[in-house]
Amino acid sequence: MLSSSVIIAAHKRREFLKEAVKSVLENTQKPSEIIVVKNFSDPVVDSFLQSNKIINLYSEDESLGGKLSVGISHSSGDIIFFLDDDDLFSREKIEYVTKKFREYDIGFYQNAQLVFYDDNIIRTDANNQEIFYYYEKVESEKILNFLLHKLKAGFNTSSIVIRRDLAEKCKLSLKNVKISADTFLFFCAIENDFPIMVDRSRLTYYRKIRKRITNKDLKIRSLRMYYDDALYF
């Protein structure tokens, strides 16, 4: 039986975190452990995490990659799921994906998403199309372009699951990635010749927030982080 870890990263934002954790707890197959890595303390959130036996880690690292690296270092699962604090898992995601890892030699796995806006959540079972693309090794630019541009591989951290040996190879460099951790993990898998599976089953609820960011400094900081990631890649 494959063990599994779910790593949830949160930066300053509190309002969606409990909901993200609940979406994992409500899965048809429970993970071996849930790890939350965040840069804040909150008595309500921390009490909720403790009561549900969630590993609660504090990190001053402002980058997403840094928080994921911390989570990996504290995890023990054979396969590692990632979840952003504002996204959700479908109820059958862990069971479905674990089965795929048992049936195939997978290093990097990515599923499709169901998009919802702000608090307008419609929870349904995932639309399991049983259509997926599997490559033991990405050996041509044509395949890479197909994965990147047609299938959007390397998009949305909450839709990515990786094997432990890939996580161990990636975690040190991952610390330097400020925002584009999803793209980094995809390229890390290709660079190290790990098998890739991109699945069209929609197993992640991807939240789009309509609220406009009015803080000019926050906009500039976000753009700077994207720029730094581009230089790193």
Side-chain angles (χ1 to χ4, degrees):
M1 184 70 178
L2 289 172
S3 60
S4 58
S5 303
V6 178
I7 298 173
I8 305 174
H11 183 72
K12 294 185 179 178
R13 188 166 50 196
R14 294 161 168 77
E15 61 264 37
F16 305 127
L17 182 54
K18 287 172 64 177
E19 190 177 6
V21 173
K22 286 178 182 177
S23 77
V24 179
L25 293 172
E26 292 170 357
N27 254 250
T28 55
Q29 178 178 313
K30 303 298 184 286
S32 307
E33 60 189 5
I34 303 173
I35 300 171
V36 170
V37 186
K38 55 185 177 62
N39 70 331
F40 59 86
S41 296
D42 182 284
V44 175
V45 172
D46 292 340
S47 175
F48 169 79
L49 297 178
Q50 182 178 8
S51 66
N52 284 284
K53 300 180 179 179
I54 311 298
I55 299 171
N56 185 10
L57 303 176
Y58 178 84
S59 173
E60 293 184 353
D61 197 319
E62 292 196 0
S63 69
L64 175 58
K67 290 185 180 67
L68 297 184
S69 182
V70 168
I72 290 170
S73 296
H74 286 82
S75 69
S76 60
D78 298 316
I79 55 177
I80 299 173
F81 294 74
F82 300 107
L83 179 60
D84 292 339
D85 64 290
D86 56 339
D87 292 339
L88 306 168
F89 280 179
S90 69
R91 292 183 179 90
E92 68 274 29
K93 172 166 179 168
I94 296 173
E95 181 178 5
Y96 177 92
V97 175
T98 301
K99 184 172 182 286
K100 281 285 187 281
F101 271 82
R102 285 199 306 267
E103 293 174 344
Y104 294 86
D105 178 25
I106 303 172
F108 174 97
Y109 172 95
Q110 180 174 326
N111 58 259
Q113 305 85 32
L114 285 161
V115 176
F116 70 98
Y117 291 88
D118 296 344
D119 295 324
N120 183 24
I121 305 168
I122 302 175
R123 296 294 301 276
T124 63
D125 290 335
N127 180 11
N128 186 353
Q129 301 179 55
E130 285 294 341
I131 298 173
F132 60 87
Y133 299 85
Y134 177 72
Y135 299 92
E136 291 185 355
K137 188 176 180 180
V138 177
E139 297 183 296
S140 72
E141 186 175 343
K142 181 179 179 181
I143 293 173
L144 177 60
N145 286 332
F146 175 71
L147 288 168
L148 274 175
H149 303 300
K150 181 70 174 179
L151 300 183
K152 307 300 182 186
F155 167 74
N156 182 233
T157 311
S158 302
S159 300
I160 291 172
V161 186
I162 61 175
R163 205 165 67 199
R164 168 150 299 279
D165 50 350
L166 174 59
E168 294 297 336
K169 282 184 176 291
C170 297
K171 70 178 182 182
L172 291 179
S173 297
L174 183 60
K175 292 170 64 175
N176 299 313
V177 179
K178 292 179 170 58
I179 293 181
S180 308
D182 43 11
T183 307
F184 170 80
L185 290 169
F186 174 65
F187 279 106
C188 188
I190 291 175
E191 178 70 20
N192 290 282
D193 294 329
F194 278 84
I196 305 285
M197 179 179 285
V198 178
D199 195 329
R200 306 315 294 153
S201 298
R202 296 184 291 176
L203 303 171
T204 301
Y205 291 87
Y206 173 62
R207 187 190 306 262
K208 287 191 174 182
I209 300 174
R210 296 181 196 268
K211 298 173 184 175
R212 295 181 62 189
I213 299 175
T214 56
N215 187 323
K216 183 179 178 181
D217 291 337
L218 179 58
K219 287 182 180 179
I220 293 172
R221 188 160 60 248
S222 296
L223 288 172
R224 186 174 295 136
M225 292 171 79
Y226 277 116
Y227 175 71
D228 288 345
D229 278 357
L231 292 178
Y232 182 73
F233 288 120

